[in-house]
Each structure stands twice: as structure tokens, then as C-alpha cells.
Amino acid sequence: MTMTDTAVPHWQNLFQRLLGEIDGRTSPDWQADEAGLDPTVYIDPTRFERERERLFRRMPLCLGPVDQLREPGSVMAREICGVPVLITHTREGHVKVFLNVCRHRGARLIVGEGEPCRRQSLVCPYHGWTYRLDGSLAGLPRAKAFPTIDKHTLGLRELPSEVRHGMIWAVLDPAASAPDIAAFLGPLDRDLEAIDLGGHRLYRQHAIKRAANWKLIVEAFLEIYHLTRLHAGTIGPFFADAVSVSDAVGPHIRFLAARDRTAEIRELPPERWSPQHHGTLVHFVMPGSLFIYHPDYISHLGLFPSAPDETLFVHSMLTPDMPKDDKTEAHWARSFELIDGGVFNSEDLPTCEQIQRGMGSGANDRLIVGRLEQNLRRFHASLDAALG
């Protein structure tokens, strides 16, 4: 992947700081005092409802790559944080996001979730009201039984949305204003452009509900302390032990972890320093998106909580191109199985579920946050500010 010229000074700064960490722990994080977290923030139902209402139903959420619906005429349903959502790719080429709710009596138009399908129109299975893929009401059986209905006012309720960097962003409140994703991302918007996120294609996606609070899952991808330990048999050997640098970027976080090859940049001109090959860059976008930049592909993780102890985890693997031959297909298949099956769903997420089960046990009245876990402090400070 090639960085654009405008991004070069930014990557230079991150790597200069990373070299400082390799040489002798020079970051302010390494001087930080020990901190703690209250276990109740992961189990309290009142706290969870505030998070869902003030974060997940007010902030723009990344619903995944636009490639989920490659062909015009494609539709996909998914429940997001308790809200039934329908994404359509109209025959005119537009991507729209609606509430998956018939305007007659509230039935879902598409019942099955998570799998794209082709539709000429959207037909309510209850009474047969029919909608076009742009959300407009096309017709209804026995229309004379509804003499006062104006079809033009009874289209599907559309959610404010925008496609940016090849990803679908939406607000779960139909009364909200259209999101300005560039402004919402702030300086991360330039990062996503520089890394050519929008030029990537969806290779494979896996969605699964896990029995853990969404914050525990976010935290697993914001600290480096566990990496060579929990992942000792998978990706751990490719990384330096517990070396990283981070920035708070508004409510978001930019995080660069040192790999086993990071020290090679001392022999390279700065324009050749790569945040995929010489390190691993992670972007956390509040409230529940993570972008992880592996050496030759990108993982997008979408976290959508449905209960204090349940989160829908959607992993989309994005590659520079779709595989054109069997060798490339086999390579991407192995990569997906390693990261999704071997790392995320066999190591990270089961550990989060184990932690969740222990939260209400009374074993800890305070969770310890050390110097290598300062991103957790940044994350919870942003949460507290957003919740008021």
C-alpha cells in the first residue's frame, strides 16, 4: 500500500516516537500513574442504556463496506443495537439505509439477517405492501380500503447516511441531520484517504454475537500488553513485546504497534516507512469501529451492543483487489482463517467473554490499568465526556 505525499510527515512522526519507545520508553504513557476502572461499567444495565441511546443512536456508525452490496438490486437486513436496519443498493447506483419496518403495521420487510440478496422490490410478508428499493411505497393490496392514504408520505423511514472511504456510515435516528463524516473523523479522515481504504474490496465477512460487553472488546484492540502473550501461538511472534505509541484524536484513537521489523526503518528513507509493513496501525472510531492495517489487507471490526453482556461482532476483511486466481484465493482464505478464526474468535473474543463472566463475581472492586494500557484511560475519558 502506498501512502500519499500529504501523509508522509504524519507517519514520520509516529515512527520517530515508536523508535524512541524501542530505544528507551520515552513516551508520556510510560511515566503515567497507575489507574483503575470500575467493573460496574461493564455490567450495569442503566449505564448500558445511556451508552446505547447517547452513543450508538446519536453518533454515526460504520455499517461496513459498500461492497457488501456489490450489485444494484441488492439488499441486506441487520439488527444494529436493537434497531432493525435495511441497506439497499438501488438500480440507479445509490446506497440507502432504512428502518426495516413496514409503514402499515410495523412488520419487518426482510426477516433473515446478514446475507445480501437480490430483490426487484421489498414486499411486506404480512399484508403485501410493496416498496421500491429507494424506499418509496409502490403499492398495496385493496388500496380502496385506505381512502385517505397518500403513498408519497408513506415510504420507508430513511436513516441519515453517507458513503465515505468505501464504507457505509449511518445514524440510527431517522430524525437526525445528515452526517458529515469527514468532520466526524477529523484528522483520521486524512489517514483513511492516505491508506486508500476506499480502494479496497470486501473479500469476506463474518458476523457473530459474543457474550461480552462491547467496551471489553474495544479494549482488547487498544493495548499492546497482551499481544505476545495471548497470541503467542498465532500473531505474537511478529510483534515487538509491548511497544506502541498512541494519540487521542478527538473522541477517536490512533495507535501504532511495533512489529519485529520496525527497527528496519533506521536504514530506510522516511518516505518508505510503512504503517502496515514496519508496524501495525489501528484506528478506533467512536463508538464501535476499529480499522486494523495488516501487512497486505485491512480488517474492519464493527461492534454493535444489544445488551450489557452481548455484542454483535462484524469482521470485514478488505483486500486491495478481489482474487484473480487460485493461488491468490488460497492466500486470502488462509489469512482470513488465521485472523478471524485463529485470533479474533479463538483468542480475543473468548477472553473477553471470560472477563465478562467474572465482572459481577466480586473478585475485583477495581480493575488495574498500567502504563502499557493508557489507551483504556483515553477511551473511557472520551466515553465519560460523551455520556455527560
Side-chain angles (χ1 to χ4, degrees):
M1 302 177 194
T2 302
M3 302 299 107
T4 64
D5 292 341
T6 57
V8 167
H10 168 65
W11 307 125
Q12 289 177 10
N13 176 264
L14 281 176
F15 275 110
Q16 291 285 8
R17 291 164 53 196
L18 201 60
L19 289 176
E21 287 297 285
I22 292 172
D23 291 340
R25 300 296 188 186
T26 60
S27 75
D29 284 2
W30 195 246
Q31 313 305 320
D33 294 332
E34 191 178 275
L37 293 170
D38 184 348
T40 63
V41 304
Y42 304 96
I43 58 177
D44 177 35
T46 301
R47 161 85 182 214
F48 171 75
E49 286 303 324
R50 286 175 60 214
E51 291 172 350
R52 188 157 66 168
E53 292 302 318
R54 299 189 186 185
L55 301 176
F56 287 90
R57 294 190 178 178
R58 294 186 186 180
M59 288 184 169
L61 304 181
C62 184
L63 304 186
V66 71
D67 253 11
Q68 294 171 117
L69 302 172
R70 288 195 174 97
E71 301 293 331
S74 301
V75 302
M76 186 177 73
R78 179 164 276 154
E79 185 166 297
I80 303 293
C81 305
V83 177
V85 171
L86 185 65
I87 307 172
T88 72
H89 186 170
T90 72
R91 302 188 190 287
E92 295 73 34
H94 305 298
V95 173
K96 290 181 173 290
V97 184
F98 301 101
L99 293 175
N100 184 18
V101 177
C102 181
R103 298 300 304 281
H104 173 216
R105 297 274 295 282
R108 296 196 180 193
L109 302 170
I110 302 289
V111 177
E113 292 189 22
E115 291 295 330
C117 55
R118 300 295 300 276
R119 290 285 190 274
Q120 295 290 332
S121 58
L122 302 165
V123 182
C124 177
Y126 196 8
H127 295 99
W129 285 38
T130 301
Y131 302 84
R132 302 177 183 90
L133 298 189
D134 65 4
S136 59
L137 179 60
L140 58 154
R142 305 296 183 185
K144 290 183 179 179
F146 303 90
T148 64
I149 275 184
D150 180 357
K151 289 197 301 183
H152 297 94
T153 65
L154 283 178
L156 298 178
R157 292 299 299 273
E158 186 170 0
L159 296 176
S161 67
E162 179 182 342
V163 174
R164 188 165 181 83
H165 304 300
M167 309 299 285
I168 303 168
W169 308 78
V171 181
L172 294 183
D173 179 1
S177 301
D180 183 342
I181 300 304
F184 175 66
L185 292 171
L188 294 191
D189 188 68
R190 190 187 74 167
D191 289 9
L192 299 184
E193 180 179 3
I195 215 159
D196 192 30
L197 176 64
H200 285 67
R201 305 293 304 277
L202 175 64
Y203 170 69
R204 191 175 295 174
Q205 186 179 86
H206 179 213
I208 186 171
K209 286 188 176 180
R210 304 300 305 228
N213 185 271
W214 69 278
K215 296 185 293 297
L216 289 176
I217 302 175
V218 169
E219 291 165 7
F221 295 94
L222 289 184
E223 53 95 346
I224 195 70
Y225 182 35
H226 77 281
L227 205 148
T228 59
R229 295 157 184 83
L230 179 63
H231 305 306
T234 52
I235 59 174
F238 298 107
F239 288 83
D241 183 21
V243 180
S244 66
V245 292
S246 302
D247 291 322
V249 186
H252 318 302
I253 293 173
R254 181 193 289 123
F255 173 39
L256 181 65
R259 295 179 66 91
D260 54 348
R261 64 181 69 165
T262 298
E264 295 175 5
I265 68 173
R266 300 181 196 274
E267 309 300 324
L268 296 173
E271 61 269 18
R272 291 183 59 191
W273 297 354
S274 166
Q276 291 90 23
H277 295 285
H278 301 119
T280 291
L281 182 67
V282 176
H283 286 132
F284 166 64
V285 178
M286 184 71 83
S289 271
L290 290 141
F291 295 89
I292 304 172
Y293 305 96
H294 309 283
D296 57 356
Y297 66 94
I298 298 171
S299 286
H300 172 253
L301 311 182
L303 310 180
F304 307 109
S306 51
D309 60 354
E310 184 178 80
T311 303
L312 176 65
F313 178 91
V314 184
H315 171 217
S316 301
M317 178 176 168
L318 309 171
T319 56
D321 298 290
M322 294 302 292
K324 296 181 174 63
D325 52 51
D326 292 344
K327 182 179 179 180
T328 307
E329 169 65 33
H331 169 72
W332 292 134
R334 287 193 302 269
S335 297
F336 186 85
E337 182 53 37
L338 170 64
I339 199 67
D340 188 82
V343 178
F344 298 160
N345 280 288
S346 294
E347 295 173 345
D348 289 308
L349 296 176
T351 301
C352 293
E353 291 179 325
Q354 293 166 13
I355 296 170
Q356 185 70 39
R357 288 194 291 271
M359 281 297 178
S361 68
N364 297 303
D365 55 10
R366 174 179 177 268
L367 305 176
I368 302 170
V369 177
R371 289 174 172 173
L372 293 168
E373 302 163 296
Q374 292 303 297
N375 272 340
L376 276 60
R377 297 180 73 173
R378 296 183 180 98
F379 171 48
H380 283 269
S382 291
L383 283 180
D384 292 343
L387 292 174

